[in-house]
Amino acid sequence: METDAHSRGDAAGCETTSLPLSVGTPDVPVTGVNGALRRLPRIETQAASLLGKAGFVPSWKPYWNRLKTAGLTFPEGIEFLPPKPEKEDSPEKLKKIAAPESRAESQKPRKSTRIKPPADALSLEDRLFYLLQPPLESWLQGQELIMPFEPFPYQFEGIAWLFSQNAALLADEMGLGKTMQMITAVRLLLRAGQVRRVLLVCPKPLIPNWQREFKLWAEEIPVTTIEGDSARRRLIWRMPGSHVFLANYELVVRDFQEMLLDQARAEGRRTGLSLDVDGLGRSLRSRKHVQQEKPPINTDADPANVHAPPKFDLVVLDEAQRIKNRDSLTGTVIRSIPRKRSVCLTGTPIENRPEEMASLFEFMGVVPPRGAPDIRQLTQLSESYVLRRTKDLVMTDLPPRFDRDEIIELAPAQKHAYQQAEQEGVIQLNEMGESISVQHVFELVLRLKQISNYDPLTGESSKLDRLRADMEEIADSGGKAILFSQWTKTLDWLDARLKEFNPLIYHGGVPTGKREPILTRFKEDDDAHILLMSYGTGAVGLNLQFAGYVFLYDRWWNPAVEDQAINRAHRIGATASQIIVSKFICKDTIEEKIDQVLQQKRELFARILGDGDNSNASLSLTASEIFGLFDLKARTGKGERKVTPEEAEAA
Amino acid sequence: MAGPKSNSGFHLGFLRVVEVGDDAFAGGLLVTNHLGRPLEFQCTTPVRPNRTQAILYGPTLKPFVWSELIGKTLHARVDVKPQLILVDQPALLELREHVPAPVACLVDGDPRSSELADVTRLQVGRNLLRFHTEFPEDRDIAAAGVERVSADADLLEPLERVTEALRETLRSGSAA
């Protein structure tokens, strides 16, 4: 009853001659209007104009003004801040308010890649900083940054991810454009003022590659390459005004080792390289010492500290599997580089053992120094800090890759030589009895593999015959092929026998200065149909996407290395309509047996990286696997020792 | 490395109000440069009108809470003042009555937009804007400023950022 009276009065307005403007105090109980209504009698005591609407809202203002706000000003906004707070002119009068009407949500779906805040950004400001950045597409396509080509959606995603992560491992499969994603992320980070000094470390043969890609994707960023003698390098390291430094692993290790020793000497320490803190300022000493630990090194704060190594906002390791061995000098020195953000790039984060990831994670600062995460923890960390995409997932428009195993019969003389070598070898091994070692077996394996490539005595080679047949077809159609072998000797041998296809050779023995011209010629010379490469030099980071054919003349021990080799050609921007990969395997030889082992390793590899399978099996060839290649009477079996490709090569 | 060199940049404000739970509202204002790069962001805690207020304000509640309470507060709060405020909720056009800057509403896809008088509409980037009918000079003020905005710009997109940021803020519950 009372309520009715009140609402009538309010709605009609003019019927009630007054409204309790002064009673609209915060005391009105939230539970209902009764309290206010009980004071109705007072209406008679105060007059209000018939146009009372204007006075109506202000009486409620105390309620509303409790509005709290939160916010942030971006670094770029700071320069626009007024010198002093502006005076707000606020017209208080209320006008007629149109009927409210909420509009439907966005009408057109558009492609846009948002920068997501990293999982470890805890403060709201940090998270909003990333959330409020424009989508990459508009950032890059706008007038701000010119991109030579339109990146693929998954690349936008990778750039956005790299932009926001303090610790990141970009493990995209070879050929998906890790270099370009990294360069663009660096470009955006520099633009946004998030980083000022960037160090890019890569294997030596890739330096020209990075220089070229930087010129292509970020023309405006000057890249300083660390080179020259040690005095000159010392100067370059401390050169002010440079934003991006490019250096190879060997030089970084040598120079930083020296600088760290200098620093230790200057500070009167005799510890040498046994460091107290790593490059992220984390203590490397045992827990007992931690309490009296010094704060992290801050070389910026002390300009007089000329002995301290230079400091970086971002350190990027290309082919980061170089630091997979924690105790190696490379690993130790690289981890000591003073830095804020750490990014690893590699197509093969696990080459042999899942534990190799732990070393990369330690560099990234997501596992403590000496920490030993188990498989489950590694999988968890991978979710936050590893981004891996494979070609079949993202590249629907990449040319299809066809793998074919070419099973080849040995030529008669070759077969004879092979059988003889095998028999003699096995007899020799058996005679050795208990003193037999993996190394001895390896020697035999390598000798047999060489004979499968060609018979050194007669020069007979069924692989060469097959290759020549294939190459004639390829040359006729104007195609280009890359051939990989484990031995430079084999490459030289092939070079002499493939003259009609104008072969080019690219291996470790070719001086660095001559390497680029070889690649350029292979690309531009229509008559150069085949490039002969060794796994070691040709497998990493080079772009040969115009070649439609890949030959694996002999097989490498590690499937990851083989894949890297194949992906020189099978990558983005591939101009060939399809990539055909031929793997030469001689029938009834050691090659067939190794192929089986490789096949199994490949499956294991996929399982671990695929869904974090907690299988802890070693992916290396174990001693027993090596022994298993031959029918040997005496198997010591005492070695589960791992045999690495390096050892194989050394053998 | 780079950035606007002078203080003469044209700043856009993107304002959106979202409904939080039952009958509560929160608003966010993102100020960007003409390229859409963020300069400042402010958002409010949720405003929940009580029953009395809801009854007394009736249909005027929403425009009041949205424009005068949330919009005006946010505009007063930001230090980097926008020269044009863009909204995509027509109710927020009323904000114009409380702030000195022009307020424009995105009307793409609204069948009625073609019927708008020329003086109240303006094409900016990929979007069509409508201005408050009682401030005819707004259109010209805005037109002069938005010349720097790319013809390819999508003005709806930053509003989505605002929604996203509001969601994040509300989730963190630390807007105080």
Side-chain angles (χ1 to χ4, degrees):
Chain A
M1 174 65 197
E2 280 178 344
T3 311
D4 286 351
H6 180 80
S7 5
R8 209 170 39 245
D10 182 40
C14 49
E15 283 181 17
T16 312
T17 50
S18 59
L19 263 181
L21 292 189
S22 61
V23 302
T25 66
D27 299 323
V28 176
V30 183
T31 48
V33 293
N34 293 355
L37 296 176
R38 259 183 235 116
R39 289 191 285 278
L40 257 187
R42 273 197 274 163
I43 287 169
E44 295 168 3
T45 65
Q46 200 176 9
S49 100
L50 285 180
L51 304 167
K53 197 169 61 169
F56 159 59
V57 170
S59 71
W60 287 87
K61 285 218 71 161
Y63 252 106
W64 297 112
N65 270 354
R66 280 189 217 149
L67 202 52
K68 284 179 185 161
T69 62
L72 76 162
T73 305
F74 288 78
E76 289 176 26
I78 287 169
E79 63 178 298
F80 299 111
L81 294 184
K84 53 187 175 184
E86 277 179 12
K87 252 191 179 176
E88 201 58 40
D89 59 322
S90 46
E92 281 296 316
K93 63 186 165 73
L94 268 189
K95 292 197 169 189
K96 192 178 152 207
I97 295 173
E101 176 192 300
S102 184
R103 211 172 77 97
E105 281 301 291
S106 60
Q107 327 92 332
K108 42 179 181 180
R110 278 168 297 104
K111 185 190 76 171
S112 68
T113 310
R114 303 218 141 276
I115 296 171
K116 294 192 191 89
D120 51 4
L122 294 179
S123 85
L124 181 63
E125 275 79 6
D126 284 352
R127 299 183 70 79
L128 289 182
F129 176 85
Y130 292 110
L131 273 177
L132 288 168
Q133 297 296 338
L136 279 188
E137 284 81 358
S138 63
W139 201 349
L140 294 174
Q141 283 162 9
Q143 303 150 22
E144 284 196 277
L145 296 169
I146 309 293
M147 298 290 278
F149 308 109
E150 160 94 19
F152 291 96
Y154 76 87
Q155 290 178 324
F156 275 123
E157 226 168 76
I159 297 163
W161 186 76
L162 286 171
F163 179 84
S164 64
Q165 293 286 113
N166 276 331
L169 167 56
L170 183 61
D172 284 352
E173 213 183 4
M174 296 304 287
L176 290 186
K178 285 193 290 291
T179 308
M180 168 268 171
Q181 293 177 59
M182 192 66 236
I183 290 174
T184 310
V186 165
R187 201 179 182 199
L188 295 182
L189 285 166
L190 284 168
R191 257 323 144 100
Q194 294 295 290
V195 301
R196 293 185 56 215
R197 276 167 65 90
V198 180
L199 171 61
L200 245 152
V201 190
C202 67
K204 198 172 174 192
L206 294 190
I207 296 262
N209 204 45
W210 274 95
Q211 287 169 331
R212 204 173 42 230
E213 297 277 315
F214 252 102
K215 211 175 272 175
L216 177 67
W217 290 100
E219 216 180 356
E220 79 280 11
I221 302 178
V223 177
T224 310
T225 308
I226 306 285
E227 56 197 352
D229 59 25
S230 88
R232 182 178 144 77
R233 292 201 305 269
R234 210 162 252 261
L235 213 68
I236 301 178
W237 278 118
R238 293 176 198 282
M239 199 154 72
S242 294
H243 295 292
V244 178
F245 294 82
L246 184 61
N248 68 49
Y249 278 95
E250 292 73 21
L251 284 188
V252 167
V253 170
R254 199 181 309 161
D255 290 353
F256 271 84
Q257 195 181 3
E258 221 165 85
M259 288 189 272
L260 287 166
L261 289 171
D262 276 1
Q263 187 188 19
R265 274 194 290 270
E267 289 170 8
R269 281 184 285 128
R270 289 166 152 265
T271 48
L273 255 195
S274 60
L275 300 161
D276 292 339
V277 288
D278 70 5
L280 293 165
R282 300 178 304 172
S283 172
L284 295 175
R285 293 159 77 188
S286 61
R287 226 164 263 257
K288 265 187 279 178
H289 302 286
V290 172
Q291 277 159 344
Q292 61 257 33
E293 194 54 71
K294 285 186 299 182
I297 34 173
N298 184 0
T299 53
D300 276 359
D302 180 10
N305 193 355
V306 289
H307 297 291
K311 202 175 173 183
F312 294 93
D313 297 310
L314 167 65
V315 173
V316 180
L317 302 185
D318 188 21
E319 306 296 347
Q321 66 272 24
R322 282 279 185 116
I323 60 158
K324 67 184 179 187
N325 184 353
R326 264 192 201 197
D327 300 317
S328 66
L329 182 65
T330 308
T332 311
V333 173
I334 294 277
R335 283 197 302 274
S336 74
I337 301 174
R339 64 193 183 275
K340 288 178 191 149
R341 290 171 176 244
S342 325
V343 174
C344 294
L345 306 178
T346 172
T348 51
I350 305 176
E351 276 190 330
N352 282 301
R353 301 179 315 278
E355 300 88 73
E356 288 166 4
M357 294 270 271
S359 178
L360 300 193
F361 281 152
E362 183 180 336
F363 165 76
M364 285 152 57
V366 297
V367 302
R370 318 305 319 155
D374 58 26
I375 290 280
R376 186 171 312 206
Q377 289 166 320
L378 281 179
T379 310
Q380 258 171 14
L381 286 169
S382 297
E383 272 165 32
S384 308
Y385 300 106
V386 179
L387 183 64
R388 179 173 173 84
R389 280 82 55 94
T390 50
K391 275 194 206 132
D392 39 343
L393 279 180
V394 297
M395 292 304 298
T396 41
D397 47 353
L398 195 74
R401 165 181 152 182
F402 299 106
D403 285 28
R404 53 178 194 206
D405 290 345
E406 300 219 24
I407 312 289
I408 301 167
E409 284 267 8
L410 289 175
Q414 230 183 334
K415 195 167 195 167
H416 181 71
Y418 183 93
Q419 283 168 346
Q420 205 174 0
E422 186 179 32
Q423 278 164 11
E424 283 172 12
V426 171
I427 291 169
Q428 267 180 14
L429 290 175
N430 279 334
E431 279 172 357
M432 295 176 88
E434 286 302 307
S435 63
I436 183 174
S437 75
V438 174
Q439 223 48 265
H440 294 124
V441 185
F442 250 127
E443 279 164 29
L444 178 58
V445 170
L446 292 175
R447 198 179 328 141
L448 293 178
K449 280 181 78 178
Q450 275 165 334
I451 296 174
S452 304
N453 277 359
Y454 63 95
D455 176 18
L457 264 183
T458 60
E460 208 176 26
S461 166
S462 51
K463 282 188 183 176
L464 176 65
D465 295 344
R466 173 67 65 94
L467 177 66
R468 215 180 245 137
D470 285 349
M471 277 312 297
E472 270 162 21
E473 212 181 308
I474 293 168
D476 282 349
S477 62
K480 286 180 191 287
I482 310 169
L483 179 143
F484 286 95
S485 169
Q486 190 178 348
W487 291 284
T488 50
K489 212 171 116 191
T490 302
L491 295 176
D492 290 335
W493 185 84
L494 283 170
D495 182 40
R497 282 159 185 79
L498 291 168
K499 285 296 176 206
E500 66 265 44
F501 307 111
N502 296 316
L504 293 164
I505 289 205
Y506 186 101
H507 56 59
V510 178
T512 318
K514 290 191 180 165
R515 293 185 180 187
E516 274 293 297
I518 291 178
L519 296 182
T520 316
R521 183 170 162 217
F522 181 54
K523 185 175 181 182
E524 285 161 9
D525 186 348
D526 288 341
D527 292 328
H529 290 293
I530 186 162
L531 182 67
L532 307 171
M533 297 187 115
S534 60
Y535 280 104
T537 45
V540 175
L542 298 161
N543 299 325
L544 300 168
Q545 58 269 52
F546 44 88
Y549 301 85
V550 175
F551 292 100
L552 305 185
Y553 198 73
D554 46 58
R555 312 292 301 278
W556 191 255
W557 301 98
N558 188 326
V561 174
E562 283 196 343
D563 280 339
Q564 277 201 337
I566 293 166
N567 288 333
R568 295 301 101 233
H570 192 229
R571 61 197 299 130
I572 289 173
T575 45
S577 61
Q578 57 188 17
I579 308 289
I580 296 180
V581 181
S582 307
K583 301 171 181 174
F584 285 175
I585 300 163
C586 284
K587 208 175 163 218
D588 299 326
T589 67
I590 193 78
E591 291 190 322
E592 232 178 9
K593 290 179 193 162
I594 292 175
D595 185 56
Q596 282 170 5
V597 180
L598 283 183
Q599 204 57 42
Q600 289 162 1
K601 284 176 77 172
R602 212 180 280 263
E603 279 159 25
L604 267 172
F605 187 77
R607 271 170 68 201
I608 301 240
L609 274 175
D611 49 4
D613 192 337
N614 55 0
S615 130
N616 205 357
S618 158
L619 292 177
S620 287
L621 283 181
T622 59
S624 53
E625 278 168 341
I626 305 275
F627 282 114
L629 293 171
F630 298 103
D631 185 25
L632 295 176
K633 284 181 206 150
R635 268 182 221 170
T636 58
K638 60 178 139 179
E640 277 300 295
R641 190 167 75 86
K642 281 151 187 124
V643 180
T644 62
E646 290 76 18
E647 278 176 288
E649 207 171 31
Chain B
M1 267 180 88
K5 298 267 182 298
S6 67
N7 266 12
S8 62
F10 186 72
H11 301 153
L12 299 162
F14 293 89
L15 174 67
R16 197 179 249 184
V17 174
V18 296
E19 207 157 336
V20 188
D22 301 332
D23 306 324
F25 305 99
L29 176 61
L30 171 66
V31 184
T32 75
N33 68 6
H34 63 285
L35 295 168
R37 297 286 304 282
L39 300 174
E40 187 175 351
F41 175 75
Q42 293 288 343
C43 63
T44 71
T45 50
V47 183
R48 181 172 280 106
N50 63 30
R51 183 87 188 116
T52 313
Q53 291 160 338
I55 290 170
L56 292 179
Y57 278 82
T60 68
L61 181 77
K62 221 172 181 181
F64 172 75
V65 173
W66 286 26
S67 294
E68 189 168 353
L69 208 55
I70 293 176
K72 199 173 109 182
T73 307
L74 288 173
H75 182 269
R77 191 75 181 73
V78 289
D79 292 321
V80 182
K81 298 292 179 198
Q83 276 111 29
L84 170 64
I85 298 173
L86 294 158
V87 300
D88 69 336
Q89 295 156 310
L92 282 172
L93 261 186
E94 304 309 315
L95 174 64
R96 181 64 184 96
E97 290 150 22
H98 311 286
V99 297
V103 178
C105 182
L106 276 63
V107 288
D108 307 88
D110 186 339
R112 287 170 296 173
S113 60
S114 55
E115 296 161 22
L116 291 173
D118 278 353
V119 288
T120 59
R121 67 176 176 163
L122 175 69
Q123 184 76 33
V124 179
R126 292 195 243 153
N127 307 87
L128 188 63
L129 304 185
R130 174 159 76 89
F131 291 87
H132 198 295
T133 43
E134 288 175 39
F135 295 84
E137 69 282 6
D138 280 6
R139 187 191 173 278
D140 296 334
I141 298 172
V146 296
E147 274 175 4
R148 297 179 66 184
V149 175
S150 154
D152 193 39
D154 176 6
L155 300 180
L156 197 59
E157 181 282 317
L159 288 165
E160 284 157 18
R161 275 187 255 168
V162 174
T163 309
E164 197 65 30
L166 279 172
R167 196 175 297 148
E168 183 72 30
T169 313
L170 294 168
R171 190 164 48 214
S172 80
S174 58

